[in-house]
Amino acid sequence: MELQGTVKKLFDTQTFASGFQKREMVILTQEQYPQPINIEFLSDKISLLDNLTEGENVKVGINIRGREWVSPQGETKYFNSITGWRVEKVFDNASEPTQAAPSQSASPVSNENPFAGDDDDDLPF
């Protein structure tokens, strides 16, 4: 799956006691109702965020992950996360609508008036 939007926030890398690392980024989608979407990059994918700055337009390849957690009281809860695995910068001219090239017709187009030799004018006025 992919998400496209503007980089709203880049967070610092977090390192946990186990040695696990993650870095998060928030993008603001570009739609009728823009949404701030938090995307996490794990381990070796953290470096994908090194050359980004806030305000840039990006397209991010994502996976949606889910997990189940059972509390000490026996209550089951479910959590989702969005994990990024690819980032592409999108330049302004690529995000604007482009005009389609004119199509080539099979027959040549004539500029002659097809009614030029028609002297039979039966219009009532």
Side-chain angles (χ1 to χ4, degrees):
M1 296 174 68
E2 289 183 342
L3 286 175
Q4 187 168 333
T6 303
V7 177
K8 181 177 175 102
K9 181 78 175 158
L10 289 166
F11 294 95
D12 292 332
T13 301
Q14 298 174 342
T15 303
F16 299 90
S18 64
F20 175 76
Q21 291 185 319
K22 78 173 183 176
R23 186 172 180 195
E24 296 177 329
M25 167 179 74
V26 176
I27 67 169
L28 188 62
T29 62
Q30 299 165 343
E31 52 194 351
Q32 183 178 1
Y33 301 106
Q35 301 292 311
I37 306 291
N38 187 54
I39 304 168
E40 57 186 25
F41 290 79
L42 310 175
S43 304
D44 61 331
K45 301 298 182 188
I46 290 172
S47 62
L48 295 174
L49 302 180
D50 289 346
N51 295 323
L52 295 180
T53 57
E54 293 177 5
E56 286 186 303
N57 291 326
V58 293
K59 185 187 302 183
V60 183
I62 62 164
N63 291 323
I64 298 176
R65 302 283 184 220
R67 63 187 179 281
E68 181 179 282
W69 177 74
V70 180
S71 72
Q73 294 79 25
E75 183 181 0
T76 303
K77 295 192 177 202
Y78 298 92
F79 298 92
N80 299 317
S81 60
I82 300 173
T83 306
W85 54 272
R86 183 186 70 217
V87 177
E88 295 176 31
K89 291 184 182 183
V90 177
F91 299 99
D92 291 337
N93 60 359
S95 63
E96 293 178 8
T98 56
Q99 186 174 11
S103 62
Q104 299 282 338
S105 61
S107 61
V109 177
S110 172
N111 289 335
E112 294 180 23
N113 183 352
F115 304 108
D118 193 2
D119 292 334
D120 186 14
D121 188 6
D122 58 351
L123 293 176
F125 41 82

